[in-house]
Each structure stands twice: as C-alpha cells, then as structure tokens.
Amino acid sequence: MKVSNKIIFLIFASLVSLAHASADQSAALYEKYEYSLKHEDLNGAYEALNQRRRIDDKNLKYIYDESEFLLQYSNDQSYTQELIENGLNIAKDSADKYWIPRYLEILAGLLLQEGDTQKAYETGTEAYSYFAGESNNEELSDICQLLIGICTSLGKNDEALKYGLQALNIRRSVLGTNHIKTASTLTALSIAYLNQNDFKHAHEVLSEGEQIYTKLGIEDETLVNNQGVLAFAQQSFDDAYELFSKALDLTENKFGNKHSKLIGILKSLSVTAEKLNRYDEAVSYINEAFDIASSIYGSEHQICAQLLCEQGLLANQRKLYGTAMDKFSEALKIYDKLFGETSQPSQQTLISMYRCACDIVVANATKYIQTAKDFMSDKYFTLKHEDKDPLYLLAFGQWHMNNAACIFDYIPSVINDDVNILLSADKTSVQEIKSSDLSNFTVSIVRNKQIHDELLNLLK
C-alpha cells in the first residue's frame, strides 16, 4: 500500500471527550483505524488511535499503538517521543515487565532514527537486560534486531554480529525459517558481516533472505539496499547503482517521497554516482537527501550537518571551493551548537575545511585565496602524545604552520621517517624532536586568534 508520510496533526482540544467511553467504543475506534489505514486515510487512522488512547490515557497498549503509528508515518517525532516516554514512565511506575522493554525498544528505535545513536544504544541495551536468562522470546529477537543497526552505527561490529546471530537463532526457532522477520534479520546481518569485510557470509545471508522474501512474494527495500552495499564494497559500482536505484523506487512506493528512509539510500546513490564520474547526479542526490532531512528534522539537525559536509566534499572535488567552504561552514555552526567546538563532529568538519583551504592555495585559485587565508587566520594545531599534556605543533617535517600542505594527509606519510618536529609548550620557546621519538599521538585543530598569532611569532 502506497501512503503519504505526512500527517496533519489534530487539534486535541477540539476532540470530543471520551473519558467515560465504553470498551465497545474502544473496539469500534480500532476498527475505524484499521478501515482508515486500509483506505490510505492516515489522518482518519490517527484520529481513531488518538481518541481510543484518550479513553484511557494510562492504557499502555493504547499509548504504544499510537506511538508506533506516529513513528512509522509522522515526519515530526517530537510528540512521538513525549508519548513514548510517558508510556515508559507509567510502565516503570507499575513495574510492568511486559511493557517496559517494549517501550524501551520503541524509544531506542526513535533515538536511532533521530541520530542520537549513543542514547539509542543505552536504551536498547537496557531493554535487552529485561530478558536475562531467556533464549526463545520473540520480543527479545526484536530488540536484538534493533541493536544490530545501533551497534553498526557506533562501530561496535562484534556486538552487532552477536546480537544479529542471537536474533536469527530465536526467529528460526520461534517463527520458522520462512518468516518475514527471519528474512529481515538475515538482511540486517549482512551489514554486520560487511563491516568485518566478510563478503562471503554477507552474500550468504542476503541470498537466504532473498529466497524467503521471494517465497512470500515480497520485494523488500532494505534487502535490495544491502545488496547494493555489498556490490559497492566489492567495487561493482554499476551493479550497486542499479540496486540503490531500485531500493529508492521501492521505498518511495511504500513510504512516499519524503520519508527519512530515503536519506540513506540517496546518500548511497550520490557516492556511487561519484564513483562512476557522474558528478551532476551525485550532487542532485545529495541535495535531495538534504531537502528531505531539513523538512523532517529542521535545518539545524545533525543529519543535515552530515549532508552539508557531503555537499561540501562534492563541491571541493569539483573545485567549487567557495561553495565547499560555505557548506562546511554551515555544518560547523550546527555541530558547534549541538556538541561544542571541541567535539569530534566539529573537528572532522574543520579537517575537511583545512584540506579545502590547502587545495585552494596549492591550486592557486586566486578567487578563493582570501577565503583560505581567512579560514587559517585563527587556527592552530595541538599534538597530544600518550598521557602528556597537549603541545602546540609548529612544524612537522616539511610542513610549517599555515603553509599550504594538509597536516592530516602529510603526517601519516612521514611518521616513520626521521623528520623534525617543532613544538612549543608555553608559546614562548620552541623545542625540536624527531618523529621517531613519537609512538602515537593525536592532532587537534583549535580556534583562537590570539594564540595563533603568538605561535606565528615563534617561527619568525
């Protein structure tokens, strides 16, 4: 069934009070919900669920059903989270061990969708903890399935595989080998294997999942997308492009053309088009992803910042340096506001900006030289070695502060050479060491005009 994912939210105060409605009225409202959904009337379906929940606003099933509906069909999830957290609090107050993990699971799914992956992990593992000692519980398999995606997003690949195999074992045992949920777990497992560069097992689980979906007469968009991911990983870019395009069509037909599920597929299409030297298409796809994300989450969401960085990288590759720096700057403002100037997302964006600034100088792109100089005018680097305090980094081999060479590309290429490193601990004196004296270190970009100028004076 093709439906729109836009819901015009009801003005709750205008709804007729049903505080004393009967169980028969509740059943009738649920029938109305099913009828409306079948006939693609999302507003009517939501109104029925909302009114049923208002009959008994502490009924955990009513709250859960309304939350689940909003999670699937609504672009604005702020009210959904409030509703879920309200249900979770009611469940915890009554120590309801049936509903607590189910609310934790749905909340973890929402947090993952919203980009708060660490909080999603904490919430998901809390839900998992309620099933300690159990081995064949379908709800446990649902939580394990969710944790595959969460752990994958966090780079916890061993955990993702562990949860995936547990979910698969439960679903095969409880639901059988030809169930849609079994196919879904096989599909999710493919990414866990891919992240361990295990192409053989990734291909095997995708093939098994495809066989199940075929028997059930289902074309699953996630399966097709993950087949595209496997093809891309094996550098079969033409095949990957075809599969991602099919996944996009399936997702649009199922959820409409403004759903959050489209964002990741459009990003994959953009990267694949770039590999095929189809840069105009790559830009078009990433721009479409940004438009969807900003309409769903608002323009200052971290997902929008990620897409702005992708737009900047594409512009930089096409030597559209001004556009690239503008996109990176927009992303940096979002990351600074959300996570702080010293956060990893801000650091990664600064690195991209620094590389772009270096490209401007190396290419002698005179139109953008001032942009590069303005960017570099308050940036300096610190080097942290083991447990020692950070030192101001002035030079590393042939690289000197504010020269047009990217330290993040240059250092790895010479770290094993016996090159000179100039450092300062106090901004007044300079010390020199050899790169061979460093076993490991981290480099950070810091923004401070005063210290930047003081460090430049040390090199005069």
Side-chain angles (χ1 to χ4, degrees):
M1 176 178 63
K2 182 177 179 179
V3 295
S4 167
N5 66 323
K6 291 183 178 178
I7 293 177
I8 302 174
F9 288 104
L10 304 174
I11 301 174
F12 301 126
S14 69
L15 296 177
V16 176
S17 175
L18 296 172
H20 302 291
S22 68
D24 287 342
Q25 286 175 299
S26 174
L29 285 168
Y30 195 74
E31 287 180 11
K32 178 186 175 184
Y33 154 74
E34 291 182 314
Y35 178 86
S36 299
L37 191 61
K38 182 179 179 180
H39 290 81
E40 303 183 20
D41 178 10
L42 289 184
N43 284 336
Y46 175 68
E47 180 180 2
L49 283 182
N50 178 262
Q51 288 189 343
R52 186 183 70 144
R53 194 257 305 168
R54 293 174 70 245
I55 290 173
D56 179 3
D57 60 8
K58 294 189 183 299
N59 187 307
L60 291 170
K61 177 167 175 52
Y62 294 175
I63 299 171
Y64 187 89
D65 287 346
E66 183 178 347
S67 301
E68 194 171 42
F69 180 87
L70 290 173
L71 189 62
Q72 181 171 358
Y73 294 112
S74 173
N75 276 343
D76 181 2
Q77 297 295 346
S78 56
Y79 175 66
T80 311
Q81 184 165 345
E82 179 184 332
L83 196 62
I84 293 170
E85 289 175 343
N86 179 52
L88 179 60
N89 289 334
I90 293 171
K92 286 188 172 182
D93 286 344
S94 59
D96 190 323
K97 292 186 178 180
Y98 176 87
W99 281 112
I100 291 173
R102 284 162 174 80
Y103 273 98
L104 288 168
E105 179 201 348
I106 196 174
L107 179 58
L110 174 59
L111 292 167
L112 177 63
Q113 181 178 308
E114 293 289 294
D116 194 348
T117 315
Q118 182 57 41
K119 184 65 175 175
Y121 175 76
E122 294 166 4
T123 306
T125 51
E126 183 183 352
Y128 180 86
S129 70
Y130 277 83
F131 294 92
E134 296 193 35
S135 58
N136 278 328
N137 186 297
E138 185 179 349
E139 175 63 19
L140 175 59
S141 75
D142 293 343
I143 294 169
C144 288
Q145 171 93 6
L146 176 61
L147 284 167
I148 302 172
I150 294 173
C151 291
T152 297
S153 298
L154 290 171
K156 298 177 181 288
N157 298 322
D158 289 341
E159 279 192 65
L161 190 59
K162 179 195 78 171
Y163 288 123
L165 292 172
Q166 186 176 1
L168 184 60
N169 288 335
I170 295 172
R171 289 182 167 179
R172 279 175 169 163
S173 174
V174 175
L175 304 172
T177 57
N178 290 316
H179 195 278
I180 187 172
K181 283 191 172 183
T182 306
S184 175
T185 300
L186 288 162
T187 301
L189 261 175
S190 65
I191 301 300
Y193 282 124
L194 276 174
N195 285 345
Q196 295 187 336
N197 295 316
D198 188 346
F199 296 164
K200 177 177 179 292
H201 281 102
H203 177 74
E204 287 176 356
V205 293
L206 283 172
S207 295
E208 186 179 347
E210 184 176 26
Q211 290 172 13
I212 297 171
Y213 281 126
T214 300
K215 288 178 182 178
L216 297 173
I218 296 172
E219 277 195 300
D220 182 71
E221 68 281 355
T222 304
L223 173 78
V224 176
N225 178 77
N226 290 5
Q227 288 173 326
V229 175
L230 174 59
F232 186 93
Q234 295 177 312
Q235 300 187 27
S236 300
F237 300 125
D238 286 314
D239 291 340
Y241 187 86
E242 183 177 341
L243 288 162
F244 288 137
S245 297
K246 182 178 179 181
L248 184 68
D249 290 341
L250 290 171
T251 305
E252 287 181 335
N253 288 335
K254 186 173 181 179
F255 297 102
N257 60 5
K258 291 293 183 182
H259 198 277
S260 60
K261 288 179 179 287
L262 297 169
I263 297 170
I265 302 173
L266 288 164
K267 284 175 64 177
S268 296
L269 273 168
S270 178
V271 174
T272 309
E274 180 187 355
K275 290 291 186 182
L276 294 170
N277 298 319
R278 293 151 70 167
Y279 293 107
D280 288 343
E281 287 187 40
V283 171
S284 176
Y285 285 128
I286 207 66
N287 288 349
E288 185 178 353
F290 178 81
D291 290 343
I292 293 173
S294 58
S295 70
I296 294 174
Y297 304 114
S299 59
E300 295 189 350
H301 195 277
Q302 61 177 312
I303 292 176
C304 292
Q306 293 166 7
L307 294 167
L308 284 165
C309 285
E310 295 291 338
Q311 290 175 320
L313 291 170
L314 277 172
N316 189 26
Q317 189 168 13
R318 302 174 82 194
K319 304 187 187 306
L320 301 173
Y321 300 121
T323 300
M325 292 297 280
D326 287 344
K327 296 294 184 182
F328 291 138
S329 295
E330 289 180 57
L332 186 63
K333 289 177 183 177
I334 296 171
Y335 284 138
D336 285 349
K337 182 177 180 180
L338 292 177
F339 307 115
E341 289 192 358
T342 60
S343 66
Q344 184 177 6
S346 291
Q347 279 288 303
Q348 290 299 318
T349 307
L350 284 170
I351 291 169
S352 295
M353 296 183 77
Y354 189 76
R355 286 190 171 120
C356 185
C358 291
D359 287 343
I360 290 170
V361 179
V362 171
N364 194 27
T366 55
K367 182 178 179 181
Y368 305 107
I369 287 290
Q370 191 58 50
T371 300
K373 288 183 176 179
D374 289 344
F375 170 73
M376 291 178 173
S377 65
D378 69 341
K379 311 293 186 302
Y380 64 90
F381 300 90
T382 62
L383 184 151
K384 191 172 191 304
H385 177 220
E386 295 177 345
D387 296 326
K388 299 178 181 177
D389 291 334
L391 299 170
Y392 302 110
L393 177 58
L394 306 177
F396 194 109
Q398 297 174 358
W399 176 86
H400 289 267
M401 187 176 176
N402 251 22
N403 281 7
C406 185
I407 189 170
F408 297 93
D409 294 325
Y410 179 69
I411 285 183
S413 68
V414 298
I415 185 60
N416 294 323
D417 298 336
D418 204 22
V419 299
N420 294 328
I421 303 173
L422 293 183
L423 302 166
S424 176
D426 54 11
K427 296 181 291 180
T428 59
S429 60
V430 178
Q431 63 186 89
E432 182 176 317
I433 64 172
K434 294 291 185 182
S435 60
S436 54
D437 294 332
L438 289 176
S439 57
N440 59 75
F441 59 88
T442 56
V443 178
S444 298
I445 298 179
V446 185
R447 290 167 270 180
N448 187 302
K449 174 66 173 171
Q450 180 182 345
I451 295 178
H452 168 272
D453 292 344
E454 292 175 12
L455 294 174
L456 274 185
N457 287 331
L458 291 178
L459 294 174
K460 291 181 179 178

